[in-house]
Amino acid sequence: MRQRLAIAVIVLGGAAIAGLAARGVASDLATPRDLHEREYVGSGECRRCHPVHHESWSRTFHRTMTQDARTPGAVLGAFDGRSVEYGGITSRMERDGERFVITSERDGEAIDEVEIDRTVGSHRYQQYLARRGDAWWRLPIAWDVAEQRFVHMNAAFLTADPEGLEEGAIALADHRRHVTRWNDNCVFCHNVAPDPGLDPVTQRFTTEVAELGIGCEACHGPGSEHVARNRDPLRRYVLHGSDEPDPTIVSPARLDPARRADLCGRCHGQRITDDVDAFLAHGDPFVPGDDLALYSSPLWHDTVLSEGTLAEREGVFAARFWGDGTPRLTAYEYQGLLQSRCASEGALTCTDCHGMHDGDPRGQLRPSVREGDAMCAGACHAELVDRAAAQQHARHEDVRCVDCHMPRIVYGVRDVHRSHRIDVPRPVEDAEAGRADACTLCHLERDDSLLTTGVGGDPVQRAVIAAAAGREESATPRSMRLGALLATMRDDSYPAIRHLAWRSVRALVPLDASAFTATDPRDARIAAVARIEAMIDEPIDAPSPEQLASLRARARDVAIEIGE
């Protein structure tokens, strides 16, 4: 009898203690947290409890956005002694034990020798950083991942050929035109919790990041308390059986659409702040879940700088947008979403289409988006679920929603991408804004856009047409496209556009990428194009020299300043 009584006391006592502990956990879960003062722990800490999510994140290009060059496998470029010659300067890429080294020389005289300290990017191309003192600097040479060759960064940005290229002697400043300090530029969007640490007096940096690359905490916030609290198995058990969120960490899926968009917009939407000095001294205060507008504003075509004369402050960013305010460079996807009725009048947000743990790392589109129109037709436009109705709506049999409503009119990272402003094609209004509409991108022969815009337009217009001319869905005769593209490779003044034209030619006719180098001087390009023409066994409808000369005289250079 006494033994049974003792057991009962123990059981009841244990239950009482468990009940009190559970109530303590429930109280803890109901207590909001301010994550701004929490510490970061790094993605490695997440793997122990979230191995599946850690593995799916590991496959992404977010993880490898910034890497230490000494990390095995981080450097993708072939540092095997090959070289790049550009404007009389030869850059040679070599490996010296564990060191990756780029040496540059002109006429046999050394210009510099730098060791790669960090890498940026791993998808389309990989840039390299060298450290000098307290700063890291982006170098002029990058590795094109798809073409498996080194390229000069002047062929990545939308900028014209420098003076002296034809004579084989460009200025050293032009060779280094896109050499940029990492500490107060790239650092903000390519790492977790960036803090440039700029001393306003000495102008020296003590730059720190919580983690190189886009780690777990870039989207989920600092995880120190989350890790510490969840060492308690009872807390984990309660959380597992509860629908309540854990206030020690951010789950983007639980944020409202606007806050989810803010999370992505921090890096995928160029911004401006009224207090640049604070950002440079202490870093970006944004943590996931914050309202991005508390700290910064997205750049628009009519954004005015706060310093300088009125002439210096106005119109600085206009060239980055089409005439109707639609972004035409990458890293403005956030602005495009904000301009879309699907977001402003609906609940669409970035993660409806993109899954950070889903799909192909190239774009990270959710399968339902990548494989069909279910995202549009199944979610909001139910009348288009029926295939026949969708075809009647589009007046085409094989056109997807994004082809018309998110046309490829955005330049960035040596490619042309879909606009993230989801809107209705309006050819007349779009033409007035200077942007190619969805219809024209497939029918380049209409209004002779292949040449009038592709040769006589501004740099982004020419880039958009050069990329469109190589697409499989184009309804424009191949002979016309080949003729225009080869002319662009010969004579466009922008190496980035010549590269796009060459890539489109190779999409039409299988050829080795090394047969043409976009940064070569004109004589070398003419010779290369002649060899390429001889290898193309099909008609080429070349435009007349008189027509090309007239259009090139109309082509405009625009100081876009960015557009890598």
Side-chain angles (χ1 to χ4, degrees):
M1 184 64 183
R2 286 182 177 177
Q3 186 178 17
R4 289 180 180 177
L5 181 58
I7 292 173
V9 168
I10 292 172
V11 170
L12 289 173
I17 292 171
L20 288 172
R23 281 201 292 274
V25 170
S27 175
D28 174 59
L29 295 178
T31 303
R33 304 297 208 279
D34 180 356
L35 299 182
H36 290 85
E37 300 303 324
R38 299 294 186 269
E39 299 293 326
Y40 290 83
V41 295
S43 299
E45 280 289 327
C46 308
R47 178 169 44 197
R48 182 160 49 93
C49 296
H50 307 281
V52 174
H53 286 90
H54 188 277
E55 194 279 330
S56 59
W57 162 77
S58 296
R59 293 197 304 267
T60 70
F61 296 112
H62 276 135
R63 179 183 67 80
T64 51
M65 179 54 74
T66 307
Q67 300 179 87
D68 189 311
R70 289 159 286 273
T71 301
V75 177
L76 301 179
F79 282 71
D80 55 4
R82 67 185 68 186
S83 61
V84 169
E85 197 280 334
Y86 178 57
I89 296 175
T90 300
S91 300
R92 181 171 294 102
M93 280 58 71
E94 298 174 297
R95 183 134 185 205
D96 177 13
E98 297 302 313
R99 302 168 65 238
F100 297 89
V101 179
I102 299 180
T103 55
S104 298
E105 62 180 31
R106 190 205 295 270
D107 299 328
E109 294 188 12
I111 295 175
D112 56 27
E113 176 180 311
V114 292
E115 177 181 352
I116 307 304
D117 192 73
R118 289 178 177 171
T119 67
V120 177
S122 61
H123 179 197
R124 301 177 187 279
Y125 59 86
Q126 184 171 67
Q127 302 173 57
Y128 297 109
L129 306 177
R131 183 171 187 176
R132 284 180 177 163
D134 61 327
W136 283 265
W137 297 87
R138 178 178 60 196
L139 301 173
I141 304 297
W143 173 255
D144 187 307
V145 176
E147 298 181 1
Q148 292 288 288
R149 61 174 174 167
F150 288 103
V151 296
H152 196 280
M153 286 299 292
N154 283 7
F157 285 83
L158 276 179
T159 51
D161 289 325
E163 293 184 5
L165 179 66
E166 301 308 321
E167 296 76 20
I170 65 171
L172 189 56
D174 285 319
H175 173 66
R176 295 171 174 168
R177 181 184 289 177
H178 299 295
V179 171
T180 303
R181 189 166 53 202
W182 175 82
N183 306 58
D184 48 352
N185 285 283
C186 326
V187 68
F188 283 111
C189 287
H190 296 162
N191 306 283
V192 179
D195 178 3
L198 176 63
D199 187 310
V201 177
T202 66
Q203 292 295 299
R204 292 186 61 78
F205 291 92
T206 54
T207 305
E208 295 181 348
V209 300
E211 182 176 359
L212 292 176
I214 312 301
C216 305
E217 291 163 299
C219 297
H220 295 280
S224 58
E225 185 181 6
H226 180 71
V227 171
R229 292 278 182 180
N230 285 295
R231 290 196 178 101
D232 177 356
L234 179 60
R235 191 179 195 276
R236 297 200 303 273
Y237 180 81
V238 172
L239 268 175
H240 186 71
S242 169
D243 289 330
E244 295 300 316
D246 183 348
T248 63
I249 203 75
V250 172
S251 171
R254 292 178 179 272
L255 298 176
D256 66 45
R259 296 293 82 77
R260 269 186 273 170
D262 285 351
L263 203 163
C264 304
R266 176 176 167 266
C267 292
H268 293 277
Q270 290 279 313
R271 298 175 293 144
I272 191 169
T273 176
D274 290 333
D275 195 356
V276 175
D277 291 342
F279 268 61
L280 294 177
H282 309 296
D284 185 347
F286 176 88
V287 299
D290 280 350
D291 181 346
L292 193 60
L294 292 173
Y295 315 110
S296 58
S297 303
L299 286 176
W300 298 105
H301 71 289
D302 56 356
T303 295
V304 178
L305 291 175
S306 59
E307 297 182 356
T309 65
L310 186 60
E312 292 170 338
R313 293 187 288 122
E314 284 190 327
V316 175
F317 307 106
R320 305 180 187 188
F321 298 82
W322 298 106
D324 62 355
T326 301
R328 59 182 194 162
L329 297 180
T330 52
Y332 287 83
E333 292 79 15
Y334 178 64
Q335 284 89 330
L337 177 73
L338 296 180
Q339 292 174 321
S340 305
R341 288 179 60 193
C342 302
S344 63
E345 299 179 17
L348 184 75
T349 193
C350 312
T351 51
D352 289 324
C353 298
H354 301 276
M356 294 303 98
H357 298 279
D358 273 348
D360 191 323
R362 297 169 297 181
Q364 296 192 245
L365 289 172
R366 295 190 186 279
S368 61
V369 176
R370 190 174 184 85
E371 296 167 4
D373 291 328
M375 182 61 227
C376 308
C380 297
H381 303 279
E383 73 279 9
L384 299 178
V385 170
D386 178 74
R387 189 62 190 160
Q391 290 174 347
Q392 185 176 9
H393 168 78
R395 300 183 182 179
H396 288 76
E397 291 186 0
D398 299 320
V399 171
R400 297 181 58 205
C401 300
V402 293
D403 292 331
C404 296
H405 299 284
M406 298 179 69
R408 290 186 171 97
I409 56 172
V410 174
Y411 179 80
V413 286
R414 286 165 64 81
D415 205 347
V416 173
H417 310 264
R418 292 194 184 282
S419 170
H420 278 61
R421 179 176 188 170
I422 305 167
D423 61 3
V424 176
R426 296 183 178 87
V428 174
E429 290 86 347
D430 290 345
E432 290 174 352
R435 54 178 270 195
D437 64 277
C439 308
T440 299
L441 290 176
C442 285
H443 297 279
L444 295 169
E445 74 282 5
R446 288 186 180 178
D447 300 324
D448 208 12
S449 295
L450 182 62
L451 294 176
T452 55
T453 307
V455 177
D458 78 10
V460 183
Q461 290 173 321
R462 304 199 308 266
V464 166
I465 297 300
R471 295 201 186 101
E472 182 180 359
E473 66 267 24
S474 178
T476 307
R478 289 169 60 97
S479 60
M480 289 178 60
R481 289 186 277 155
L482 283 169
L485 291 167
L486 292 169
T488 295
M489 291 164 56
R490 273 191 299 262
D491 280 327
D492 195 284
S493 58
Y494 279 51
I497 298 170
R498 297 195 295 262
H499 166 259
L500 284 172
W502 173 223
R503 205 187 59 177
S504 285
V505 168
R506 291 194 295 115
L508 298 172
V509 183
L511 294 167
D512 192 276
S514 64
F516 180 81
T517 300
T519 48
D520 276 350
R522 186 169 184 269
D523 286 347
R525 299 198 307 269
I526 289 174
V529 169
R531 291 191 294 271
I532 291 166
E533 284 178 324
M535 290 187 279
I536 298 176
D537 188 21
E538 61 179 284
I540 299 173
D541 185 3
S544 72
E546 295 77 15
Q547 186 180 19
L548 287 172
S550 173
L551 290 169
R552 296 224 181 278
R554 291 170 39 193
R556 290 177 289 131
D557 287 347
V558 177
I560 295 174
E561 304 296 342
I562 198 169
E564 71 180 291

